[in-house]
Structures are given as structure tokens and as C-alpha cells.
């Protein structure tokens, strides 16, 4: 076999390989990917949806940290420097300076005002110039994420994702106890894989609901921390 024939054969093989590769690439591009994650379905809005945006409230500072609703449907928004209060129509009612340094993680918009950073709960006298009345420090490992209180605001529930517990704090800033989420002898309590942890008081039943995110459950306790019931189950085991 002479060299010219070899060169022609090699050239033919190269051309065939190029054609085959082009065909494979084209088929892969035109064939739907069964594993593709498509977000388009989440961008489509149903005209009959129950919830829609009715107002947008700009407040002029980029480091927004937390918000809560209060009496008369007023809305409180915090940044690292300021506390804002808006009406339900979005009108600015009040703006004051933050009385301490730190990023706010949770707000309880009542009197006194309660603000929480990752590690500390602040009782605030919210006048023209907010003043700190009491402080409650929990732990360097704390990640406070939610606040609520009983009917007469004498007991405050502090959801701490870092310590995986709910602190029970009195109205005079004394720690009265904790809820660790254990409701059987062998239960491990709250399983919190990320820094998100919520509680909500059911004032009709005088009970506390708490999410247990790692177990995909919500748990109901009385105000003393005694377990009442649970709802939900893990779909994948």
C-alpha cells in the first residue's frame, strides 16, 4: 500500500468521524433532556391566583434585615441603621435610629418592642428616641430567627436555630425555661439543618406551634413546653 493511498484512507476516516460527531451533537441538542431543571413553570402567573402584589414599599436603605406587622396593620422594617414604620398603604409613619449595632433577625412589634440579633434579645422603649430597657444574651452559637408571645405578652418565645431550642423569656427579661422539641424518651428534638426556625402562638387554643424542619413536622406545645400534638410526616425515608 503506497503512501498516497494511506493518506487518502486516513482523510476519508477523518471525514467520516467528523460527520458522525456532527450527527451525534445535533441529535443531543434536538433531543429533550429528561433531567433538565426547568424554572419557566414558576415564572408563569395564573390570572386566578389568590395572592398578588398590590403595593411595593421602597424605604431607601439597601441593608434591609427584618420586618413584622403590628397594631392597626402597621409594618415595621429594620436596617442596620434605622427602624421604619409604614401604614398598610405603604405610607411612612415613623423613622428612628437603631439604638444598637447589629443585624436584626426577628421583630416582635408590640410594646415594649422586641428586636433580636443572632445572639441577643433587646427590649426597646420605642419612643421618639428608642431606648434599650433590657437585654437577654443567649449564646455565641445562637441564631435567633423568630419571636412571638402569649396573649398578655407575659411570656416570649424565642426560636433559636443555632441552639436548636425555643427559649422562654419573661416580660422582665428573665429566662424561664426552654423547649427542645423532644416529645418521647428516645426523640432527639428539633432537627434544624439550616438557620431557619419559626414559632407561632395559637392564641385561640393558648398553645405554641413550632416547626421541626429536619423532620418535616410542626409541633404543638402548651406554654410550659409540654408536648400536645404534631402534624406532618417525612415523604422520603
Amino acid at each position: 500500500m503506497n503512501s498516497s493511498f494511506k493518506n487518502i484512507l486516513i482523510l476519508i476516516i477523518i471525514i467520516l468521524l467528523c460527520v458522525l460527531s456532527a450527527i451525534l451533537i445535533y441529535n443531543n441538542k434536538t433531543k429533550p433532556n429528561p433531567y433538565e431543571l426547568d424554572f419557566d413553570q414558576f415564572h408563569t402567573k395564573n390570572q386566578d391566583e389568590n395572592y398578588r402584589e398590590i403595593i411595593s414599599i421602597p424605604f431607601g436603605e439597601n441593608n434591609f434585615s427584618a420586618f413584622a406587622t403590628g397594631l392597626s396593620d402597621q409594618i415595621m422594617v429594620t436596617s442596620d441603621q434605622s427602624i421604619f414604620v409604614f401604614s398598610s398603604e405603604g405610607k411612612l409613619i415613623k423613622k428612628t435610629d437603631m439604638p444598637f449595632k447589629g443585624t436584626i433577625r426577628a421583630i416582635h412589634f408590640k410594646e415594649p418592642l422586641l428586636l433580636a440579633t443572632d445572639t441577643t434579645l433587646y427590649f426597646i422603649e420605642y419612643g421618639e428616641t428608642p431606648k434599650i430597657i433590657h437585654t437577654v444574651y443567649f449564646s455565641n452559637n445562637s441564631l435567633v430567627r423568630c419571636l412571638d408571645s402569649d396573649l398578655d405578652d407575659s411570656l416570649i418565645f424565642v426560636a433559636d436555630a443555632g441552639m436548636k431550642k425555643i427559649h422562654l423569656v419573661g416580660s422582665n427579661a428573665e429566662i424561664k425555661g426552654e423547649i427542645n422539641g423532644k416529645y418521647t424518651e428516645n426523640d432527639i428534638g428539633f432537627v434544624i439543618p439550616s438557620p431557619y426556625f419559626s414559632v407561632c402562638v395559637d392564641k385561640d387554643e393558648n398553645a405554641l406551634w413550632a416547626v421541626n424542619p429536619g423532620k418535616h413536622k410542626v409541633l404543638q406545645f402548651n406554654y410550659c413546653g409540654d408536648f400536645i400534638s404534631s402534624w406532618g410526616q417525612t415523604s422520603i425515608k
Side-chain angles (χ1 to χ4, degrees), residues 2-3 10 31 45 54 58 79 109 120-121 127 130 144 154 162 164 166 196 199 222 224 233 237:
N2 57 41
S3 60
I10 293 172
K31 186 178 179 180
K45 291 187 176 181
I54 59 174
S79 69
F109 189 10
T120 307
L121 175 65
V144 175
S154 61
K164 298 179 175 59
I166 301 166
Y196 299 97
V199 293
N222 63 23
C224 296
Q233 63 182 5
K237 296 183 179 179

Side-chain angles (χ1 to χ4, degrees), residues 89-182:
E89 292 79 25
K91 181 181 178 181
L92 180 64
I93 298 174
K94 187 176 182 180
K95 176 184 177 182
T96 56
D97 293 333
M98 186 66 67
F100 57 88
K101 293 182 179 180
T103 299
I104 303 303
R105 300 300 188 185
I107 304 170
H108 193 47
F109 189 10
K110 288 196 172 183
E111 183 60 43
L113 172 65
L114 302 178
L115 301 176
T117 62
D118 282 335
T119 62
T120 307
L121 175 65
Y122 294 86
F123 290 69
I124 307 294
E125 183 181 303
Y126 189 54
E128 291 300 320
T129 303
K131 295 188 298 184
I132 298 173
I133 306 171
H134 304 293
T135 61
V136 181
Y137 175 79
F138 299 110
S139 166
N140 282 336
N141 296 320
S142 289
L143 294 170
V144 175
R145 288 298 181 266
C146 188
L147 303 171
D148 208 345
S149 66
D150 62 2
L151 187 60
D152 59 2
D153 299 321
S154 61
L155 189 61
I156 301 151
F157 304 98
V158 183
D160 187 340
M163 298 301 292
K164 298 179 175 59
K165 63 179 64 173
I166 301 166
H167 305 284
L168 309 182
V169 180
S171 57
N172 291 321
E174 70 278 18
I175 296 179
K176 293 190 170 184
E178 63 182 41
I179 301 173
N180 58 20
K182 295 181 180 181

